Amino acid sequence: TFTPEELIQYMYHETSTKKTTAIKAALENDWELREAYENLATTQKQLDEVKLSPREEVIKKITDLAEKTISLLHPH
């Protein structure tokens, strides 16, 4: 039995050679484990496809704050 954490490590090629071999064998023989792995792989793919970017108003607030800070530190 492997934990979700171990399957994630396997997915990202972070397991030892011995553990990688054991997980590969288990995935071939354990339908439930294979299903859990495929669910994790699907989630990973969906997360990789998500495009995250801040809203324009957030960027404006940060820029305004930076300009205000600069003007306080370096008055003309």
Side-chain angles (χ1 to χ4, degrees):
T1 304
F2 295 98
T3 66
E5 290 80 12
E6 289 171 316
L7 291 177
I8 292 169
Q9 289 172 337
Y10 170 79
M11 189 180 318
Y12 285 98
H13 309 288
E14 296 176 351
T15 49
S16 67
T17 304
K18 183 178 178 181
K19 188 165 277 192
T20 297
T21 302
I23 291 173
K24 279 184 183 180
L27 289 172
E28 291 176 9
N29 299 312
D30 185 336
W31 183 84
E32 287 182 36
L33 183 66
R34 179 73 184 187
E35 185 176 34
Y37 176 77
E38 288 175 1
N39 286 336
L40 287 170
T42 299
T43 301
Q44 175 200 24
K45 184 178 179 191
Q46 290 170 343
L47 287 172
D48 288 346
E49 292 173 356
V50 172
K51 304 285 188 239
L52 298 176
S53 60
R55 294 187 317 248
E56 196 64 38
E57 66 189 56
V58 173
I59 294 171
K60 173 110 174 79
K61 286 180 182 180
I62 292 170
T63 304
D64 290 347
L65 179 60
E67 288 174 0
K68 199 179 290 184
T69 302
I70 289 170
S71 68
L72 288 173
L73 294 174
H74 303 286
H76 294 283

